[in-house]
């Protein structure tokens, strides 16, 4: 095993201290074609060198604006799209070396935002849930599906023979969760899975997800634009901007003490329930730059009120914030002696 192999740092391969999944330097660039001969004219750098790990039994929340690359990252983790560069290690086994894509897909399932489009409208609910186990040759797929419907709060005697259009959005999302669990995954990726639900239904599904995590010993990657929801369910939070990771750390730490100006702006933009606490100016101005031609150096420098000369010249690396190496941010002004960390914190309050 080479020194650059992401597994080489882990002595506990396959054991409890081995992260369930390690993403190392993931890159995914999408070509844009145009013209008479459909030639490649540009490249969208959707995911551009993303690294993180997810520990067994934890929930990692991924946040960021639309187009930051969080959903593309999710699709790379589950093998729905191919990597351009990078490594994925699942419980110590390297994808393409120790395990195949098919084996990875068995261990990682995904729940999408659109609960209706995720289900075959011609299949009954029980057949939808039983479909995967049937393909895999697991025993008693229908009995397994009925049992799982009960576990996600849908009485199989009432719901098993219904079709997707006969269910509400919250009920359909419960079916999609049952469908994912039917494959006996270890990691479930939830991509805006509660975003389309009413608030009361959203809370029920979040509580269900927490219960199922404990009951089935699951690990989650939870992607959402809603910071309140991410805080409720996540142990750690990863913040993406324009295809890169800009901050990662324990949820409580990030919610109390954002180190990166982009994270601080996201949190400052959260709607307040206090009518006396009205925002006077937008904390984050303008749209994200075009991912076809991202800004040089720190990609956030075109929108950052702390930007200095170094920011457009040099790309900041993720570095440890404070004494705790679980909290990292990629910002020159957080480097020791810059004197800006207090101002960034103040701006977030
Ligand atoms: Fe702002 Fe510079 Fe930090 Fe980037 S590196 S977030 S531009 S202060």
């Amino acid at each position: 095993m080479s020194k650059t192999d992401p597994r080489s740092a882990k002595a506990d391969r396959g054991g409890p201290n081995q992260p369930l999944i390690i993403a190392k330097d993931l890159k995914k660039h999408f070509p844009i074609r145009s013209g008479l001969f459909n030639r490649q004219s540009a490249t969208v750098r959707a995911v551009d060198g993303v690294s993180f790990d997810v520990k067994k039994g934890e929930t990692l929340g991924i946040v960021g604006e639309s187009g930051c690359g969080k959903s593309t990252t999710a699709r790379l983790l589950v093998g729905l799209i191919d990597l351009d560069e990078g490594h994925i290690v699942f419980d110590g086994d390297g994808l393409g070396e120790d395990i195949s894509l098919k084996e990875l897909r068995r261990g990682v399932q995904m729940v999408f935002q659109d609960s209706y489009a995720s289900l075959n409208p011609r299949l009954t609910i029980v057949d939808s849930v039983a479909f995967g186990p049937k393909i895999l040759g697991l025993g008693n797929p229908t009995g397994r599906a009925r049992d799982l419907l009960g576990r996600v709060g849908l009485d199989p005697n009432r719901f098993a023979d219904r079709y997707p259009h006969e269910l509400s959005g919250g009920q359909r999302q419960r079916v999609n969760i049952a469908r994912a669990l039917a494959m006996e995954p270890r990691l479930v990726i939830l991509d805006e899975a509660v975003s389309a639900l009413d608030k009361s239904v959203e809370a029920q599904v979040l509580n269900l997800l927490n219960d199922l995590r404990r009951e089935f010993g699951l690990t989650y990657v939870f992607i959402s634009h809603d910071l309140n929801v991410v805080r409720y369910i996540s142990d750690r939070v990863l913040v993406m901007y324009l295809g890169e990771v800009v901050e990662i750390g324990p949820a409580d730490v990030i919610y109390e003490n954002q180190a990166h100006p982009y994270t601080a702006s996201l949190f400052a933009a959260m709607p307040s329930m206090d009518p006396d606490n009205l925002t006077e100016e937008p904390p984050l101005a303008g749209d994200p730059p075009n991912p076809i031609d991202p800004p040089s150096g720190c990609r956030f420098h075109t929108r950052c009120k702390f930007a200095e000369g170094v920011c457009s010249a040099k790309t900041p690396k993720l570095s440890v914030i404070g004494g705790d190496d679980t909290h990292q941010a990629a910002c020159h002004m957080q480097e020791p002696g810059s004197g800006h960390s207090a101002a960034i914190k103040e701006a977030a309050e």
Side-chain angles (χ1 to χ4, degrees):
M1 192 179 296
S2 74
K3 274 189 173 173
T4 54
D5 189 318
R7 292 169 301 177
S8 59
K10 309 295 174 191
D12 187 33
R13 188 175 177 187
N17 297 320
Q18 165 76 49
L20 183 58
I21 199 158
I22 300 172
K24 182 77 177 162
D25 291 331
L26 303 188
K27 284 193 182 173
K28 184 67 191 176
H29 296 178
F30 294 106
I32 294 185
R33 300 182 185 281
S34 59
L36 189 59
F37 299 105
N38 203 26
R39 292 212 172 97
Q40 183 174 336
S41 56
T43 304
V44 175
R45 293 155 74 169
V47 172
D48 213 12
V50 164
S51 298
F52 61 90
D53 60 25
V54 189
K55 297 175 180 55
K56 286 174 181 159
E58 79 166 345
T59 298
L60 176 73
I62 302 184
V63 300
E65 290 167 290
S66 295
C68 69
K70 50 191 192 304
S71 290
T72 304
T73 302
R75 282 161 173 74
L76 290 171
L77 289 183
V78 80
L80 282 178
I81 50 176
D82 293 334
L83 279 169
D84 289 342
E85 287 179 36
H87 302 277
I88 290 175
V89 179
F90 189 68
D91 204 7
D93 293 328
L95 176 63
E97 298 159 15
D98 311 302
I99 54 167
S100 65
L101 194 55
K102 193 173 167 192
E103 288 167 314
L104 177 77
R105 283 183 183 152
R106 176 79 200 277
V108 185
Q109 289 294 306
M110 194 155 171
V111 178
F112 298 90
Q113 177 176 3
D114 190 335
S115 62
Y116 191 70
S118 304
L119 294 169
N120 185 334
R122 296 193 182 138
L123 288 185
T124 60
I125 297 312
V126 73
D127 285 344
S128 275
V129 178
F131 186 80
K134 253 183 213 161
I135 298 288
L136 285 180
L138 300 178
N140 190 15
T142 303
R144 179 188 290 262
R146 290 179 68 86
D147 178 52
L148 279 170
L149 285 175
R151 302 279 189 100
V152 299
L154 296 174
D155 179 356
N157 294 324
R158 282 181 59 211
F159 289 96
D161 297 324
R162 294 193 192 179
Y163 288 86
H165 72 271
E166 297 177 282
L167 271 57
S168 68
Q171 289 167 340
R172 278 197 298 268
Q173 206 57 307
R174 286 170 188 264
V175 174
N176 281 313
I177 292 167
R179 219 164 55 109
L181 296 183
M183 303 298 280
E184 301 180 341
R186 299 178 67 195
L187 174 67
V188 179
I189 298 176
L190 300 133
D191 187 4
E192 301 281 4
V194 297
S195 304
L197 305 179
D198 292 340
K199 277 291 162 200
S200 59
V201 180
E202 178 184 270
Q204 291 170 15
V205 174
L206 287 172
N207 288 334
L208 171 69
L209 288 170
N210 271 335
D211 292 345
L212 293 172
R213 180 171 71 151
R214 281 190 289 272
E215 185 179 346
F216 290 91
L218 296 168
T219 300
Y220 292 149
V221 172
F222 188 90
I223 295 168
S224 178
H225 64 278
D226 186 333
L227 297 174
N228 285 315
V229 168
V230 171
R231 179 178 204 176
Y232 178 74
I233 200 163
S234 303
D235 300 301
R236 287 191 302 143
V237 174
L238 179 151
V239 185
M240 288 187 72
Y241 183 76
L242 224 56
E244 296 181 334
V245 177
V246 297
E247 187 162 1
I248 185 167
D252 289 347
V253 172
I254 293 219
Y255 276 76
E256 293 303 324
N257 183 22
Q258 302 98 43
H260 194 283
Y262 174 63
T263 316
S265 305
L266 276 185
F267 279 77
M270 273 171 74
S272 171
M273 301 303 283
D274 180 357
D276 295 329
N277 187 16
L278 296 178
T279 307
E280 285 166 13
E281 59 177 295
L284 190 54
D287 294 324
N290 191 338
I292 291 174
D293 185 20
S296 60
C298 173
R299 293 184 177 183
F300 188 55
H301 82 257
T302 54
R303 300 166 87 191
C304 180
K305 58 182 154 189
F306 301 100
E308 295 185 357
V310 64
C311 300
S312 56
K314 195 172 152 202
T315 303
K317 302 264 179 272
L318 276 176
S319 54
V320 170
I321 303 297
D324 181 358
D325 69 357
T326 58
H327 186 196
Q328 298 178 18
C331 171
H332 293 306
M333 300 309 148
Q334 288 289 0
E335 287 160 7
S338 80
H340 282 64
S341 53
I344 293 170
K345 186 172 187 299
E346 195 179 311
E349 290 170 349

